[in-house]
Amino acid sequence: MTETRWLDDKEQRAWRGYMAMHSELMARLHRQLQNDSGLSLADFDVLVRLTDQPEPRIRVGELGQVLQWEKSRLSHHLGRMQKRGLVRREDCPDDARGAFIVLTEQGRAAIEQAAPGHVEAVRTLVFDALTEEQVNAFATIVDRILERLGSAE
């Protein structure tokens, strides 16, 4: 059995601070989106993934992988978004079991309306508090951790 590598005081401060920051930041961004556009942060995340595609559609399985959502969560959430007219489901002609999620005109209008306020909130809550050097360091840290997470699979 290996010995536990406990966090030292500096690491623990950084980790707990990150967890508190993440919780507060996600809650504020969710409230901002809800108040300004009626979208949840999860809705916004799905819509962003769709608008990032060359064509505004993505395979359901690929969307689940990108978002890191369980199948049931993804299915329920997409069902709610579909009922609101933000997305639609299309069968995949190459795979009888596969499906695409497609951005609707209503979904495009929703994200176009929501994006400016969301970006302003991100800028105000995060980037306005940092120097250019800190933004560069932050980006480097995020890239490094994401690279490590990717290699852990």
Side-chain angles (χ1 to χ4, degrees), residues 37-97:
S37 66
L39 294 176
S40 68
L41 200 50
D43 293 336
F44 191 82
D45 210 2
V46 169
L47 295 173
V48 164
R49 303 302 174 158
L50 287 167
T51 59
D52 283 349
Q53 300 300 311
E55 288 184 45
R57 66 187 212 160
I58 190 170
R59 296 281 300 253
V60 174
E62 184 181 342
L63 181 61
Q65 287 177 338
V66 170
L67 294 173
Q68 293 288 300
W69 289 3
E70 298 293 329
K71 282 184 178 182
S72 64
R73 177 184 180 195
L74 182 64
S75 176
H76 285 96
H77 194 83
L78 292 175
R80 288 189 296 271
M81 289 181 75
Q82 196 169 358
K83 285 179 185 171
R84 291 167 41 219
L86 301 172
V87 297
R88 72 174 183 276
R89 185 179 292 263
E90 284 182 0
D91 291 333
C92 178
D94 303 336
D95 180 0
R97 296 180 315 171

Side-chain angles (χ1 to χ4, degrees), residues 6-19:
W6 297 106
L7 302 178
D8 65 28
D9 290 344
K10 190 181 343 177
E11 292 166 333
Q12 192 172 85
R13 178 177 163 257
W15 180 248
R16 289 183 178 181
Y18 165 77
M19 294 297 288

Side-chain angles (χ1 to χ4, degrees), residues 104-145:
T104 63
E105 287 304 316
Q106 188 173 338
R108 182 170 301 282
I111 194 164
E112 286 175 356
Q113 187 268 326
H118 178 72
V119 170
E120 185 57 36
V122 169
R123 179 168 299 289
T124 299
L125 296 171
V126 178
F127 293 105
D128 286 351
L130 303 175
T131 66
E132 185 177 344
E133 293 80 23
Q134 290 169 326
V135 171
N136 291 335
F138 183 49
T140 300
I141 291 165
V142 168
D143 289 345
R144 182 83 183 255
I145 293 171

